[in-house]
Amino acid sequence: MFHDNRIEPMSITIKTADEIERMRVAGRLAAEVLEMITPHVVAGITTGELDRICHDYIVNQQQAVPAPLNYNGFPKSICTSVNEVVCHGIPSDRKRLKNGDIVNIDITVIKDGYHGDTSKMFGIGKTIPHTERLMRVTQECLYKAIDIVRPGTTLGDIGHIIQAYAEKNHYSVVREYCGHGIGRVFHEDPQILHYGRPGVGMAIEEGMTFTIEPMLNAGKRHVKLNQKDGWTVSTKDGRNSAQWEHTLAVHADGCEVLTARTEESF
Ligand code: MF3
Ligand code: CO
Ligand code: CO
């Protein structure tokens, strides 16, 4: 989501066990869309085709709602962000994915009134080692942050662990977009920044549900918004960007990854 620089009195919703169970269902469905689409993410397909496959699966098989569709005017059911696109890429049939490309597919579904939000990177065919490394380090940033999520961890701790690991690996962290609280509302408080200082900011509490979704650039952190479509965010320097996202629920002893895929073990 867009980081709006608010210094707000936060209205964070603490979820009941019953609400977390519904979030668990929504999260699992979102993860299953990423698993379903994986064999289709190959050279020659268009992101428009990927959007239609996901849309039909979410609506017909899952009997859920693709949250991006018509969200603040977004025209499609998923986000597909290719190469230098940082986030919010709009699926289209104008270009086909080709060998060496990378693409982030970001899925958000609504089931029984609750949202599940998750994204991952895909390499098309043979990607060069430098690009593989960008995708891997970005995923490691997400995993390192997930590792420290428990009651008492501060938002600054989360931002710091991501920023420190990204910069140690000579990548930059996008500042303008951030993770977010999530539940009945797609983007709710708090904003989860992917940079920060240890011990700063609000402490996480049991019952919170939020996303972490770091965006790392191979080059400089600066981004630009496509003024024609009003959505597509790209790196200013044209170099590649990667993003991974999970939705989490905070429990007394740690956190639960609501959007975990079968290949992941938390
Ligand atoms: N799924 C994105 C996120 O992680 C938000 C997409 S909003 C859209 O917050 F309108 F672009 F779909
Ligand atoms: Co999100
Ligand atoms: Co998302």
Side-chain angles (χ1 to χ4, degrees):
M1 71 167 284
F2 184 67
H3 170 227
D4 62 14
N5 280 316
R6 275 174 307 152
I7 304 174
E8 76 276 43
M10 291 195 187
S11 52
I12 295 162
T13 61
I14 297 296
K15 274 77 178 177
T16 63
D18 177 70
E19 287 182 288
I20 289 178
E21 177 52 31
R22 296 190 211 195
M23 298 272 308
R24 199 173 277 131
V25 172
R28 186 179 312 124
L29 292 180
E32 284 172 1
V33 177
L34 286 178
E35 292 176 332
M36 178 280 301
I37 200 64
T38 298
H40 298 281
V41 190
V42 293
I45 199 160
T46 69
T47 53
E49 288 164 340
L50 295 174
D51 175 69
R52 287 189 288 278
I53 296 167
C54 290
H55 175 95
D56 290 348
Y57 185 77
I58 293 165
V59 170
N60 299 325
Q61 308 288 318
Q62 299 187 329
Q63 300 186 310
V65 174
L69 187 60
N70 301 320
Y71 177 79
N72 292 155
F74 191 80
K76 298 287 178 180
S77 296
I78 67 172
C79 295
T80 51
S81 302
V82 179
N83 296 338
E84 77 283 359
V85 177
V86 172
C87 63
H88 304 167
I90 302 173
S92 102
D93 292 317
R94 272 192 32 250
K95 265 196 323 206
R96 291 182 184 282
L97 292 174
K98 60 180 190 308
N99 189 48
D101 282 348
I102 57 171
V103 58
N104 172 280
I105 300 184
D106 193 337
I107 304 291
T108 312
V109 305
I110 310 169
K111 182 75 173 181
D112 194 16
Y114 287 83
H115 290 73
D117 187 7
T118 185
S119 81
K120 64 167 284 189
M121 298 301 300
F122 297 85
I124 306 300
K126 204 169 157 48
T127 44
I128 64 173
H130 186 269
T131 304
E132 284 296 322
R133 184 175 175 279
L134 171 66
M135 294 195 287
R136 176 176 53 79
V137 169
T138 306
Q139 185 179 33
E140 287 168 354
C141 281
L142 172 59
Y143 287 171
K144 283 175 183 290
I146 289 171
D147 264 347
I148 64 166
V149 173
R150 66 179 66 84
T153 299
T154 70
L155 296 185
D157 293 336
I158 293 179
H160 176 75
I161 203 165
I162 293 167
Q163 182 181 15
Y165 190 68
E167 292 178 354
K168 186 179 102 168
N169 284 285
H170 309 286
Y171 295 131
S172 62
V173 176
V174 172
R175 307 264 178 134
E176 290 83 354
Y177 299 85
C178 57
H180 49 92
I182 183 168
R184 280 196 174 277
V185 175
F186 194 164
H187 296 115
E188 55 184 48
D189 287 335
Q191 300 187 67
I192 310 292
L193 306 191
H194 304 116
Y195 60 95
R197 284 180 297 128
V200 171
M202 199 197 68
I204 291 167
E205 290 172 33
E206 187 177 355
M208 288 175 55
T209 52
F210 57 85
T211 74
I212 303 178
E213 47 185 296
M215 285 145 275
L216 267 61
N217 296 348
K220 296 199 189 309
R221 69 173 179 82
H222 304 95
V223 299
K224 60 181 186 202
L225 176 66
N226 182 318
Q227 297 297 327
K228 286 214 179 87
D229 68 27
W231 282 102
T232 310
V233 178
S234 304
T235 59
K236 256 191 191 160
D237 61 14
R239 296 185 64 189
N240 281 346
S241 187
Q243 178 177 31
W244 295 75
E245 174 176 27
H246 273 309
T247 299
L248 314 175
V250 182
H251 296 305
D253 57 347
C255 76
E256 176 183 358
V257 182
L258 300 176
T259 48
R261 298 181 298 283
T262 309
E263 76 207 27
E264 296 176 304
S265 47
F266 292 103

